[in-house]
Amino acid sequence: MRRRLLTAVAAGVPLAAAVCLPTAWAESGSSASRSLDCSTVTVQAPEGTTVASVEAVDRPAGTVDVPAVPPLPASQVTDVPGYCDVTVTLTHPGEGDQAEVKVWLPRDTWNGRLQTVGGSAFAAGDYGSALAGAVKNGYAAATTDAGVKTYLDTSWALDAGGQVNASLLKNFASRSEHEAAVVAKQVINGFYGRAASYAYFNGCSTGGRQGYAEAQRHPDDYDGILANAPAISWDEFEVATLWPQVVMNNEKTYPSGCEFDAFNTAVVKACDPLDGVKDGLVENPARCDFDPRRLIGTTLECEGRQVTISAADAAVVRKIWDGPRTTSGQKLWSGVPIGADLKFPYLAGTLPDANGDLKGQAFPVPASWVQSWLKKQPSFDVSTITYSQFTELFRQSQAEYDEVIGTDAPDLTAFRKSGGKLLTWHGRQDQLIPTQGTVTYRQQVEREMGGAERVDDFYRLFLAPGTAHCALTGQTDDLGALRAWVEEGKAPVTLTATLTNSAGKQVTRDLCAYPKVSRYKGYGDPAAADSFRCVYPSRY
């Protein structure tokens, strides 16, 4: 393995990592006709940046070891073809940041396309698993760390003076993602001797938000954007998802995980048949009007002890499902979807204290957002937030951060004109990012851009019943559908997906393009996709 590291002194000076550029390229897009060495990679600094270094490493075919990055364990990706691993480090002069862009270039199996992969939580990029997966499928793959830390490490949020590090937040919000696209295209062109035929972005959660940021702010970067369970409206939903803890702390009521599960079991049982068949899936939660008070007095066996659901427990669940409101009753944001997992480690997590009494355990992502970016006090105790203080924090987050990281501008005119396609799916039982936020954004785009039919020409949304946060990944050929749309003009009418129902059994569904929903035909196997058809909700 050969490694070379060169450092540049000034912005705009190309950096190279070793050998000669290729002299020929097969028009078919296959690299089999030429020998690709992990050689010369020339990078011109994107506007406003300096290239600090370029490192190129020749990686043999085999297994990619993905390091443990808390809270995720180490993992391995096998049978990865040989590739050139390029790391370009960028800095913005005078800002003291260093953002890495990684580009993995398959030597002999390139399909002629770029796939950039997004991040999760407070991590801006991938640590190897998605990159390796993309390379296995023939893509040149790219990602960026935006100069920030890992999934839950927010030590970068504040500078030495205790103020928000505006440069790194800007990187995380959108700047580094655009620069990664610019760098990746340069590296591909230099290594293979021609540009990628198509460029795709692929992300879920934070990665989904990054995809929307690209469509809104840099509409020419990608031909196709796959942006699932997107963390758009970040300034609002990050505060909103602390609401379950605020409710429990203010009501002094902390249901156990067993009790939360009982409420979810009851709501699925009550609302499952609304699509015409009992199949363990709530197709359209908006039609479900289950009242948690129906469970008051129900006795459960929870971890070896008898528990009776109280009126206070039901009130807490009702408030969580309803979502954040001001003290005067004004709706601030949508609640956790009915049926979504509430218990630890998610948004309404509770754990016993030293005395064995249940107390709230805030999910770290919204807690950190409030602590570091709003209170500017990483040790701030979020359990002390009152209802009125919650409203103040929600409004503060909107005022200070919407323009930076809101990522919900509804005017996608430039993206449409560029010929780009945007495809999104979102789980109906997403326990971390309320599904309704994505639906509301799609509705705003329709109002802004002339209605559903015009928007469908370039942007389609699919809602997956019974599906938790990013849980449809690998259960549907979403990228394949996006490629067919971009490259062949075949707009996806449905997405065939494997779902898991409330009994833990796998069923097949054709997810319907929003606003249509799936309804049982009245005959056929409820576990089979062809037993259902897509209809508009008003036709139930």
Side-chain angles (χ1 to χ4, degrees):
M1 184 178 296
R2 294 171 296 173
R3 183 182 302 256
R4 297 196 181 183
L5 179 64
L6 301 174
T7 304
V9 210
V13 177
L15 267 80
V19 202
C20 43
L21 287 172
T23 56
W25 179 258
E27 288 300 318
S28 65
S30 169
S31 57
S33 63
R34 52 176 296 189
S35 175
L36 291 179
D37 197 2
C38 193
S39 348
T40 296
V41 177
T42 301
V43 180
Q44 189 78 25
E47 184 179 358
T49 74
T50 295
V51 177
S53 65
V54 176
E55 183 181 23
V57 182
D58 189 23
R59 305 287 188 190
T63 297
V64 171
D65 293 309
V66 182
V69 182
L72 300 183
S75 62
Q76 291 185 324
V77 182
T78 59
D79 301 320
V80 179
Y83 63 96
C84 180
D85 176 355
V86 179
T87 302
V88 179
T89 302
L90 302 176
T91 185
H92 297 87
E95 298 185 28
D97 63 332
Q98 284 204 330
E100 285 190 354
V101 178
K102 293 194 75 67
V103 188
W104 289 10
L105 305 152
R107 285 195 302 272
D108 303 316
T109 58
W110 187 43
N111 62 18
R113 301 172 179 90
L114 162 65
Q115 182 184 159
T116 300
V117 294
S120 178
F122 287 109
D126 179 64
Y127 293 96
S129 56
L131 289 169
V135 169
K136 279 185 71 169
N137 288 318
Y139 293 87
T143 198
T144 178
D145 70 359
V148 298
K149 301 290 184 179
T150 60
Y151 302 114
L152 301 179
D153 184 350
T154 57
S155 58
W156 57 272
L158 304 178
D159 61 23
Q163 298 302 306
V164 170
N165 191 319
S167 177
L168 290 182
L169 181 59
K170 186 176 181 180
N171 283 359
F172 178 69
S174 63
R175 181 168 62 175
S176 288
E177 206 58 62
H178 168 61
E179 291 164 356
V182 173
V183 167
K185 290 177 181 181
Q186 285 191 41
V187 169
I188 286 170
N189 195 44
F191 184 68
Y192 295 111
R194 74 170 179 93
S197 299
Y198 298 97
Y200 294 95
F201 183 89
N202 186 355
C204 192
S205 193
T206 287
R209 186 196 62 75
Q210 291 167 324
Y212 275 76
E214 281 292 285
Q216 292 165 21
R217 300 188 179 199
H218 304 284
D220 297 321
D221 280 354
Y222 294 99
D223 301 294
I225 294 175
L226 182 62
N228 301 320
I232 54 174
S233 304
W234 179 283
D235 55 302
E236 295 165 313
F237 102 83
E238 278 300 357
V239 181
T241 48
L242 198 59
W243 175 251
Q245 295 292 323
V246 173
V247 169
M248 292 190 297
N249 290 326
N250 280 271
E251 302 301 326
K252 308 299 182 188
T253 300
Y254 304 92
S256 66
C258 177
E259 290 171 284
F260 282 129
D261 284 345
F263 282 106
N264 278 344
T265 298
V267 74
V268 172
K269 181 179 180 181
C271 298
D272 175 9
L274 295 179
D275 62 355
V277 65
K278 292 183 179 180
D279 58 356
L281 297 170
V282 179
E283 169 64 36
N284 189 6
R287 300 186 66 241
C288 183
D289 59 359
F290 178 82
D291 190 336
R293 290 175 294 189
R294 289 169 56 180
L295 265 62
I296 295 173
T298 301
T299 300
L300 309 170
E301 181 79 19
C302 288
E303 299 179 357
R305 62 190 182 94
Q306 294 289 316
V307 174
T308 300
I309 292 177
S310 66
D313 294 327
V316 163
V317 172
R318 194 178 187 189
K319 281 179 176 286
I320 291 172
W321 282 348
D322 178 57
R325 292 183 182 270
T326 66
T327 53
S328 63
Q330 179 187 358
K331 187 84 168 178
L332 293 173
W333 200 251
S334 55
V336 180
I338 61 163
D341 196 351
L342 292 168
K343 65 182 182 294
F344 184 83
Y346 302 120
L347 301 183
T350 57
L351 287 177
D353 62 13
N355 298 319
D357 298 321
L358 287 176
K359 296 296 179 184
Q361 295 291 318
F363 191 70
V365 178
S368 293
W369 181 255
V370 169
Q371 290 166 326
S372 293
W373 280 271
L374 298 182
K375 301 299 291 186
K376 283 80 173 175
Q377 302 171 37
S379 62
F380 174 75
D381 185 357
V382 295
S383 71
T384 64
I385 298 172
T386 65
Y387 285 130
S388 60
Q389 289 170 338
F390 177 87
T391 299
E392 292 172 2
L393 290 166
F394 188 88
R395 299 300 190 203
Q396 177 192 352
S397 190
Q398 287 179 309
E400 294 183 6
Y401 298 107
D402 179 59
E403 290 188 6
V404 180
I405 198 172
T407 325
D408 51 9
D411 187 354
L412 298 176
T413 302
F415 183 70
R416 181 180 62 192
K417 287 182 177 178
S418 76
K421 307 299 181 187
L422 172 60
L423 192 153
T424 293
W425 54 252
H426 202 146
R428 290 278 201 180
Q429 292 183 348
D430 193 315
Q431 74 277 32
L432 297 177
I433 299 178
T435 316
Q436 187 58 39
T438 301
V439 172
T440 298
Y441 175 77
R442 161 72 196 212
Q443 293 168 342
Q444 291 169 342
V445 174
E446 290 177 8
R447 288 193 293 271
E448 177 75 24
M449 300 190 64
E453 288 189 11
R454 294 196 69 192
V455 172
D456 279 345
D457 286 343
F458 70 94
Y459 171 25
R460 297 203 174 191
L461 169 64
F462 298 84
L463 302 177
T467 302
H469 187 61
C470 291
L472 200 62
T473 302
Q475 303 303 308
T476 184
D477 187 14
D478 45 9
L479 186 57
L482 180 61
R483 275 178 49 173
W485 194 8
V486 169
E487 299 175 22
E488 303 171 37
K490 297 178 180 178
V493 177
T494 60
L495 279 183
T496 301
T498 301
L499 308 179
T500 302
N501 66 17
S502 58
K505 296 181 179 179
Q506 289 192 332
V507 299
T508 304
R509 282 288 181 280
D510 287 336
L511 305 182
C512 305
Y514 177 84
K516 289 184 178 181
V517 294
S518 181
R519 187 180 184 186
Y520 185 58
K521 292 178 179 178
Y523 55 88
D525 183 359
D530 59 8
S531 299
F532 294 78
R533 58 192 173 93
C534 293
V535 301
Y536 288 97
S538 60
R539 297 180 186 175
Y540 273 98

